[in-house]
Amino acid sequence: MSIQVFEKENIFKLDTGNTSYIMSVMDDGHLLHLYYGAKLNEADLTYLGTPHSRVSFWAIQPGSDYSADSMALEYSGSGTADLRPCSVTTVDEDGDNVTDLRYDSYTLSSGKPKLPGLPCVYLNEGQEAQTLCITLKDAVKDLYVDLYYTVFAFSNAISRFTVIRNEGKQAEILEKAMTSTLQFHGKDYDLIHLHGAWAREFNVERSPISHTTQVISSFRGSSSHIANPFAVIAKKDAGEDSGEVYGMNLIYSSNFMVETELDAFDTLRVNLGINERGFAWKLNPGESFTTPEAILVYSENGLGEMSRTYQKLYQHNLIRGKYRDIPHPVLLNSWEGVYFDFDAKKILSMASAAAKLGIDLFVLDDGWFGKRDDDTCSLGDWVVNEKKLGCTMKELVDDINKLGLDFGLWFEPEMISPDSDLYRAHPDWCLHQKKRNPSLARHQLILDMSRKDVQDHVVETVSKVLSSANIRYVKWDMNRNMAEIGSALLPNERLGELFHRYILGVYSVMERITSAFPDVLFESCSGGGGRFDAGIMHYMPQNWTSDDSDAIQRLNIQYGCSFVYPPSVMTCHVSAVPNHQVHRVTPMKTRANVAMQGSFGYELDMSKLSEEDKAAVIEQVKEYKKYAHLVIDGLQYRLISPVNSNECAFMVVSEDKSTAIVTYVKKLNDPNPCTTRLYLKGLDENAKYRERDTGKVYNGKALMTAGLNLPDMKEDFDSLRMVFERV
Ligand code: GLA
């Protein structure tokens, strides 16, 4: 890892273990992007930076020989000669909507800065990183843009974020503030991204980049089920294990955008940052704005290596708290087992069955507070419904602890039901537009988390419940999109700040609560994966992946999620059959094999399981716990994609390559089937491995290059779990 600055030549070169990133300053002060890709010994690539000479129609700014419209700008201003999608837009009080950015200065430092109020990657003790800050300036406005780049000694990822500083005399409205812009040469690229909907998140879509502007975005107040703040620019020939890919992921949980445009000269520009739609931030003189952080990962060995780089960095340098390093408890969640229909007796019967089967923790989901027996009321009234339970929370938790189980509780702290004591007391605490009736989703409104009084109230009420009993786990849900956005406290001219202020408020509340309760495992949820992003991961090491718990649907969902996020963050539950979302009946074995890919648990009424299923659960829990450390620190390899395929296979290998677990699932069985040959990955090619169930010993290299024939499956949705230990 190193950052070199060649002052005479005005060249900046960032090197990670395997990659180089090169920029230079042109004579007219524009900062050019010259190269990002496989590591190079050469820094002077300025010969690549010469833009097109004079072309009809292209505007040329005074003092320049070339049009900015044909330059590969590292971070582009707006309202100037560059008419492509820009990185930043500012408008001052005189209506000057130009932001003309030229090189000003740089600083180089060791370590990595924190981002105020925002989640970010951090260094552990003894880990090294270097940070370059390049400052650009609009001389007319006295507006400065600091571009931060960090390279790490222990990862091939590059971190970027941007700070926009108003040193001028007038207020500026920031209408667009991208975290990063990247420039690629040529049109030989595909765009890969993750799209979905409630209960069918993380679909991988790959499409050619064309001469148009493509935007992947969320305008829902959260990263959303619909899209994810992640995209890959992949060479057309790139696949799972070969070819050049560039991953980009925003550590952010609200509205975002990834914008690509292939221009008239076949230069591809990619912007990543907060969605400009609905965004306008007032920067008074002396104020600054910090964008969220983006993590860029280049790999010349395809998508698999890119994903492992993200997973490892996030597991060890983004997630925090004690559950970053240790396996998460195996839990039983009450939701699909009993929904709202329970009392203490019912809960104890489920928990007592769970305790006998080796489960560590019982989670009481929605319905324990206010007068909530369905989803029409009580959000905001975080007061235990003792009448419904038949006891206090402390009594219930103590009884569950006596069974040998820890206890966890569901909250939806950012929400407020119109039918709640909180709403009756504070009708202006929700996001709303004064003259309009607000849209409801799931009968609920959203608390205005931009307000300090609301933030304090949420911290106080959630903390009160957590302090009232031995609660070791919290499921933090968020169950709707935003609409009719307005705030009783924010001045009208600052309305464009509300989405971002909301999420800053959420981050602040999460920081306060999670640091006050360091022993509690926090799981994020937003109707499943509606806010499954790297931002929330900084506060909550686990995330309910999808409200679809069907093992076959989960193959696709977990496959897409693995493109960027670590397995330990994915909460995966074995649920009852017929499955509640798709009514499919799958074997218990397969439900467990699929769920063991992430942080494992169950979501069904354990007291109603057959003796055979109970015996299976005992074995599954033992099996999961034996290898649970691999979910935390193993390396994951995708072997067969489930997308448009009847099969799926993935494996995890311990970092020292001594243990590997292969999971194979075949969706529909067929008669007289062809033999499936699986080519394993990530093993020690000089070692021998014994497969646990058959006792057969294989050569590591042979397993990877010659492959392994799998036995025929016996029924629809059958699966196989193979454990290989180095001998
Ligand atoms: C959301 C969650 C579910 C469950 C319900 C409870 O839909 O995704 O897992 O917690 O809320 O209302």
Side-chain angles (χ1 to χ4, degrees):
M1 159 212 79
S2 72
I3 297 179
Q4 290 167 278
V5 179
F6 301 89
E7 289 200 347
K8 216 167 93 231
E9 296 85 357
N10 271 326
I11 294 171
F12 300 91
K13 181 166 189 269
L14 285 67
D15 286 320
T16 73
N18 290 345
T19 65
S20 295
Y21 190 112
I22 303 175
M23 295 163 275
S24 75
V25 182
M26 287 183 70
D27 290 344
D28 68 3
H30 280 110
L31 181 66
L32 290 190
H33 180 86
L34 294 180
Y35 177 78
Y36 182 27
K39 196 161 185 174
L40 293 180
N41 292 328
E42 181 56 58
D44 189 355
L45 302 186
T46 44
Y47 58 90
L48 292 177
T50 316
H52 284 265
S53 50
R54 207 177 148 269
V55 191
S56 285
F57 277 81
W58 260 255
I60 294 178
Q61 289 166 262
S64 291
D65 294 330
Y66 303 100
S67 170
D69 214 11
S70 65
M71 296 176 190
L73 293 177
E74 177 66 14
Y75 196 83
S76 78
S78 51
T80 67
D82 178 8
L83 300 176
R84 295 163 293 175
C86 64
S87 316
V88 61
T89 308
T90 61
V91 186
D92 71 12
E93 292 162 29
D94 294 334
D96 181 340
N97 56 4
V98 174
T99 317
D100 185 5
L101 298 176
R102 307 297 173 108
Y103 177 73
D104 179 69
S105 57
Y106 80 90
T107 57
L108 198 54
S109 53
S110 57
K112 178 180 188 296
K114 285 189 175 151
L115 282 69
L118 285 162
C120 60
V121 161
Y122 60 87
L123 303 179
N124 292 300
E125 219 182 301
Q127 286 187 323
E128 286 179 13
Q130 244 187 324
T131 298
L132 170 69
C133 172
I134 300 179
T135 299
L136 308 178
K137 178 181 180 183
D138 180 307
V140 172
K141 289 184 164 177
D142 260 340
L143 184 93
Y144 291 80
V145 172
D146 300 322
L147 305 176
Y148 284 86
Y149 302 81
T150 299
V151 291
F152 307 94
F154 51 89
S155 171
N156 276 309
I158 295 178
S159 144
R160 282 187 66 173
F161 69 94
T162 297
V163 178
I164 296 145
R165 289 184 280 128
N166 182 6
E167 307 283 334
K169 293 196 170 53
Q170 294 194 12
E172 297 279 347
I173 303 295
L174 207 50
E175 292 182 340
K176 183 175 186 181
M178 292 291 98
T179 291
S180 62
T181 292
L182 278 174
Q183 300 271 174
F184 299 84
H185 181 72
K187 53 185 177 180
D188 193 21
Y189 293 101
D190 285 338
L191 173 66
I192 301 174
H193 71 113
L194 304 169
H195 72 97
W198 171 78
R200 48 182 172 83
E201 300 86 343
F202 292 118
N203 296 286
V204 179
E205 192 163 74
R206 182 170 184 158
S207 51
I209 297 257
S210 59
H211 287 93
T212 180
T213 308
Q214 281 167 284
V215 179
I216 303 160
S217 66
S218 165
F219 185 57
R220 290 160 191 276
S222 65
S223 44
S224 89
H225 299 93
I226 315 296
N228 199 271
F230 168 70
V232 185
I233 301 295
K235 273 278 172 67
K236 286 212 180 293
D237 61 359
E240 183 64 24
D241 297 304
S242 65
E244 291 191 288
V245 297
Y246 299 82
M248 39 203 88
N249 185 218
L250 200 63
I251 304 184
Y252 193 53
S253 313
S254 185
N255 298 349
F256 71 90
M257 67 191 278
V258 181
E259 187 182 37
T260 69
E261 188 178 277
L262 187 61
D263 70 14
F265 299 108
D266 286 348
T267 304
L268 170 62
R269 175 174 284 179
V270 184
N271 291 324
L272 172 65
I274 294 176
N275 196 345
E276 65 180 313
R277 186 173 164 204
F279 175 80
W281 192 278
K282 187 171 182 194
L283 264 189
N284 283 318
E287 288 182 349
S288 66
F289 181 84
T290 303
T291 70
E293 179 175 23
I295 298 296
L296 313 178
V297 174
Y298 164 79
S299 165
E300 58 184 324
N301 301 311
L303 297 161
E305 184 178 88
M306 174 206 70
S307 299
R308 286 185 290 282
T309 304
Y310 274 115
Q311 291 177 346
K312 205 168 163 202
L313 183 73
Y314 288 174
Q315 181 67 50
H316 302 291
N317 296 85
L318 177 65
I319 294 170
R320 296 176 299 169
K322 73 176 194 185
Y323 287 101
R324 182 190 72 171
D325 302 318
I326 58 170
H328 302 187
V330 175
L331 61 85
L332 171 65
N333 179 296
S334 66
W335 182 242
E336 286 195 21
V338 289
Y339 294 101
F340 290 105
D341 185 16
F342 58 81
D343 56 15
K345 204 168 144 229
K346 178 67 211 166
I347 290 162
L348 284 168
S349 82
M350 288 169 87
S352 136
K356 291 188 191 112
L357 307 182
I359 305 291
D360 300 313
L361 188 143
F362 179 86
V363 181
L364 180 54
D365 210 281
D366 198 352
W368 55 267
F369 52 92
K371 51 183 178 63
R372 192 154 161 106
D373 286 323
D374 55 32
D375 61 12
T376 58
C377 70
S378 298
L379 294 172
D381 297 344
W382 302 109
V383 178
V384 183
N385 187 345
E386 294 180 2
K387 200 162 145 232
K388 175 172 179 174
L389 283 181
C391 63
T392 66
M393 185 57 76
K394 174 140 183 23
E395 284 162 349
L396 177 67
V397 178
D398 286 349
D399 283 348
I400 286 189
N401 287 167
K402 274 184 214 140
L403 294 168
L405 291 180
D406 278 333
F407 181 83
L409 209 49
W410 181 94
F411 288 87
E412 199 176 354
E414 298 158 58
M415 297 293 146
I416 179 166
S417 306
D419 181 5
S420 66
D421 292 342
L422 186 66
Y423 187 79
R424 284 180 279 275
H426 300 284
D428 64 336
W429 273 18
C430 63
L431 294 174
H432 66 285
Q433 276 291 352
K434 288 183 201 89
K435 293 189 289 190
R436 294 173 190 279
N437 287 330
S439 304
L440 296 176
R442 217 189 182 213
H443 312 284
Q444 63 201 53
L445 296 165
I446 305 176
L447 280 173
D448 181 356
M449 297 295 284
S450 72
R451 292 173 60 143
K452 182 73 171 62
D453 52 356
V454 173
Q455 294 169 23
D456 290 345
H457 175 82
V458 170
V459 172
E460 204 181 295
T461 44
V462 173
S463 303
K464 197 168 165 201
V465 180
L466 295 187
S467 306
S468 72
N470 181 23
I471 295 166
R472 307 304 288 265
Y473 170 103
V474 166
K475 178 173 173 183
W476 183 300
D477 217 334
M478 194 279 188
N479 276 319
R480 65 161 289 182
N481 294 325
M482 294 183 183
E484 293 100 16
I485 284 291
S487 163
L489 292 194
L490 213 55
N492 290 344
E493 81 268 15
R494 286 190 175 269
L495 194 60
E497 302 178 13
L498 191 49
F499 281 110
H500 187 59
R501 285 190 184 276
Y502 177 94
I503 204 68
L504 291 178
V506 169
Y507 289 149
S508 161
V509 165
M510 286 185 174
E511 181 72 36
R512 288 165 70 187
I513 295 182
T514 55
S515 49
F517 296 92
D519 288 330
V520 173
L521 170 56
F522 285 84
E523 179 188 65
S524 171
C525 175
S526 179
R531 205 166 57 182
F532 196 129
D533 57 63
I536 296 290
M537 230 162 267
H538 192 55
Y539 308 92
M540 309 200 166
Q542 208 170 298
N543 203 313
W544 177 228
T545 318
S546 175
D547 271 350
D548 190 343
S549 61
D550 170 64
I552 299 305
Q553 294 294 110
R554 275 298 186 110
L555 292 174
N556 270 23
I557 294 168
Q558 294 173 195
Y559 170 80
C561 187
S562 79
F563 267 56
V564 58
Y565 302 122
S568 71
V569 182
M570 290 193 303
T571 315
C572 309
H573 292 169
V574 172
S575 59
V577 289
N579 171 268
H580 291 195
Q581 293 78 40
V582 297
H583 309 287
R584 184 178 284 130
V585 177
T586 51
M588 181 72 166
K589 175 178 79 172
T590 297
R591 280 176 270 155
N593 283 344
V594 173
M596 284 190 202
Q597 189 184 358
S599 284
F600 184 65
Y602 292 81
E603 187 159 333
L604 38 73
D605 186 349
M606 268 194 175
S607 66
K608 289 190 179 147
L609 283 180
S610 66
E611 288 310 311
E612 192 190 344
D613 280 350
K614 280 185 184 161
V617 171
I618 292 174
E619 291 311 312
Q620 289 163 0
V621 172
K622 273 195 209 146
E623 170 72 4
Y624 179 76
K625 287 185 179 173
K626 188 163 176 199
Y627 299 104
H629 61 282
L630 292 188
V631 175
I632 300 288
D633 54 26
L635 291 173
Q636 198 187 53
Y637 294 84
R638 296 181 289 257
L639 304 183
I640 303 177
S641 157
V643 180
N644 301 324
S645 160
N646 194 33
E647 300 172 298
C648 172
F650 49 88
M651 67 184 286
V652 60
V653 184
S654 61
E655 256 195 300
D656 66 1
K657 300 183 184 222
S658 63
T659 306
I661 301 178
V662 175
T663 305
Y664 169 79
V665 182
K666 184 164 175 181
K667 295 175 188 170
L668 296 182
N669 204 13
D670 41 17
N672 190 18
C674 302
T675 300
T676 296
R677 182 167 295 180
L678 212 52
Y679 298 88
L680 308 198
K681 296 179 189 174
L683 300 175
D684 175 353
E685 57 178 34
N686 298 313
K688 289 203 179 308
Y689 289 87
R690 176 175 289 110
E691 200 281 313
R692 182 183 60 182
D693 291 348
T694 58
K696 280 194 189 151
V697 175
Y698 301 91
N699 172 278
K701 185 164 184 186
L703 283 173
M704 294 191 288
T705 50
L708 178 71
N709 286 347
L710 299 185
D712 292 349
M713 296 292 105
K714 297 194 174 60
E715 57 179 330
D716 285 350
F717 317 121
D718 204 357
S719 65
L720 202 59
R721 179 175 162 98
M722 290 175 284
V723 179
F724 294 86
E725 299 280 8
R726 188 161 51 193
V727 289

